[in-house]
Amino acid sequence: MALTWEDKEVRFDIPYSRMKLINGEKVIDKLDNIEDTKGNSGYRGKFIITNIRILWYSSTSPRINLSIGFGAVLSTSNKIVNSRLRGTTQALQILTASKGTRYEFIFTNLVPGNTRHFTSVMGVHKAYNSSKLYRELKLRGAVVHNKQLKILPLEQVISTVHGVWNLSSDQGSLGTFIVTNVRFVWFADINEGFNISLPFLQIDTISIRDSKFGTALVITSSEISGLYVLGFKVEPEEKLRTLFKELSSFHTVYTTKPIFGVEYNWSSGQVEHKFNNIVDEFEPFDENKNEISNSISNYLADEGHTKDRMPVFNSELGLAVETIKEGYTLQKLWEVIPS
């Protein structure tokens, strides 16, 4: 499927192939002269905002880069920082959490008075958070009102099938099955609050199998959405097979051209057409060759950090240094590439 890690994780110094846009990913804004103040202070870089993540790479060496999925972003705010290239100035602070580790990123626009990176990132992050039904499974959600599906902005209803049994319980529940261009929704006729909304993005397999209720439509969700196995029965069987073919067809179409639901235009709407191939500007490089970059520890964010740790004498350096954070050693902090 199109979305795997790109919108959910923070990754450092990824290969050229991982910087390229995936199916359904669109560039919303692109800025030159952005400094990664916390990890690569003193170096200019390019800053790309897509509908699912933030990409930053060094102008002098694209091997030094960042990929920050909007699903990993906890908050965005302004922060006064000391930039090597701008001095004391206002910067964009992004706090993230990825695979159990919290990271802090600070980006400074080196063009005086230009704060577009603030508005673009904050706007797209808000749009990402408000469009989760395009990308995530939802159980017992507020997706139906008065037996009518609440249509999403980019959604179109393809078909509505009544008299569909959900086989999740011993007795089964009778309800309505709706197929759209981005998901399927089923809800119980006697209680519309008993429902499921599963986007094509999170469907792993669609099949027809035998069950104790007879021939059934079986839909398996992806591992990231919990590996749910959902069974539905429709009579007559010919009607079930028609629903299976329709669902399979739209799932295939969606896979080649997914809709992530994140829409944000900061200007006249021409951004996408101007910048959608911007990552092609990279000069291809040897993905097996290591490039010098800052230690990932530069970006670690101390949870609840309010003041610097007490200085202690370090015999290796012969200097007083701030107490090293638990779990780290001096050698680790000096490593360019973790051993």
Side-chain angles (χ1 to χ4, degrees):
M1 183 49 70
L3 259 184
T4 52
W5 58 270
E6 289 85 359
D7 72 321
K8 300 174 184 65
E9 295 182 17
V10 172
R11 293 199 178 183
F12 303 85
D13 300 338
I14 58 178
Y16 169 75
S17 57
R18 298 298 180 92
M19 293 288 282
K20 286 186 173 181
L21 306 185
I22 63 172
N23 288 344
E25 185 174 13
K26 301 182 295 185
V27 171
I28 292 175
D29 201 359
K30 180 261 181 183
L31 296 96
D32 297 317
N33 297 311
I34 301 294
E35 179 191 60
D36 170 21
T37 305
K38 188 163 186 182
N40 291 284
S41 182
Y43 294 91
R44 296 175 185 271
K46 295 183 184 292
F47 190 77
I48 301 168
I49 303 164
T50 80
N51 52 339
I52 58 172
R53 58 177 168 167
I54 297 165
L55 294 166
W56 180 91
Y57 63 93
S58 167
S59 297
T60 56
S61 179
R63 295 184 185 88
I64 300 175
N65 60 64
L66 302 169
S67 176
I68 305 169
F70 278 111
V73 174
L74 301 176
S75 66
T76 59
S77 60
N78 298 342
K79 185 173 183 177
I80 302 299
V81 300
N82 184 25
S83 160
R84 288 187 187 176
L85 299 178
R86 280 286 309 276
T88 303
T89 185
Q90 198 173 52
L92 170 67
Q93 180 190 46
I94 302 175
L95 294 177
T96 67
S98 178
K99 293 186 174 181
T101 304
R102 291 168 63 95
Y103 300 105
E104 177 192 42
F105 299 91
I106 297 172
F107 296 104
T108 303
N109 195 321
L110 302 177
V111 179
N114 192 331
T115 59
R116 204 170 81 204
H117 62 312
F118 291 109
T119 54
S120 294
V121 169
M122 292 176 180
V124 178
H125 182 224
K126 183 177 180 181
Y128 178 90
N129 284 337
S130 64
S131 57
K132 290 184 178 180
L133 285 174
Y134 287 91
R135 303 177 304 276
E136 297 180 7
L137 178 149
K138 187 72 174 178
L139 295 171
R140 299 180 182 272
V143 297
V144 179
H145 181 65
N146 291 334
K147 300 190 182 299
Q148 295 294 317
L149 178 66
K150 294 181 180 179
I151 306 295
L152 303 173
L154 302 176
E155 189 172 31
Q156 298 174 353
V157 173
I158 307 302
S159 65
T160 301
V161 183
H162 300 285
V164 178
W165 290 90
N166 184 327
L167 307 179
S168 59
S169 62
D170 290 337
Q171 296 81 22
S173 301
L174 189 63
T176 300
F177 195 102
I178 302 172
V179 180
T180 81
N181 60 327
V182 296
R183 59 177 172 163
F184 83 80
V185 174
W186 178 91
F187 64 91
D189 290 342
I190 60 173
N191 176 18
E192 65 185 32
F194 177 39
N195 59 57
I196 179 171
S197 169
L198 181 60
F200 289 127
L201 184 65
Q202 298 298 346
I203 292 179
D204 189 29
T205 60
I206 305 171
S207 60
I208 293 178
R209 300 184 201 169
D210 291 330
S211 72
K212 65 179 180 180
F213 296 97
T215 305
L217 172 68
V218 178
I219 302 170
T220 305
S221 75
S222 64
E223 183 177 358
I224 203 167
S225 64
L227 285 174
Y228 285 90
V229 179
L230 308 166
F232 301 94
K233 183 173 178 59
V234 188
E235 293 182 333
E237 187 173 319
E238 181 181 349
K239 189 176 179 182
L240 180 145
R241 293 189 179 276
T242 299
L243 177 60
F244 164 72
K245 289 179 181 177
E246 184 176 64
L247 203 58
S248 298
S249 175
F250 278 95
H251 181 235
T252 300
V253 170
Y254 181 92
T255 301
T256 58
K257 195 174 181 180
I259 301 171
F260 299 144
V262 183
E263 295 292 304
Y264 176 80
N265 290 323
W266 60 266
S267 62
S268 61
Q270 300 302 311
V271 183
E272 175 186 336
H273 302 291
K274 286 175 62 180
F275 299 138
N276 215 23
N277 295 318
I278 200 68
V279 182
D280 292 340
E281 287 183 357
F282 290 160
E283 293 180 8
F285 52 82
D286 183 359
E287 296 182 359
N288 296 316
K289 180 181 178 182
N290 290 325
E291 179 76 12
I292 295 176
S293 66
N294 284 283
S295 170
I296 293 174
S297 60
N298 287 346
Y299 301 96
L300 292 174
D302 285 352
E303 190 168 359
H305 179 75
T306 56
K307 62 180 181 180
D308 294 337
R309 290 180 285 272
M310 290 293 294
V312 295
F313 179 76
N314 185 285
S315 57
E316 292 179 64
L317 297 176
L319 297 170
V321 297
E322 186 179 349
T323 306
I324 296 174
K325 187 178 177 181
E326 186 177 351
Y328 289 86
T329 64
L330 188 64
Q331 181 182 350
K332 268 190 180 181
L333 295 176
W334 278 103
E335 280 183 342
V336 172
I337 299 168
S339 54

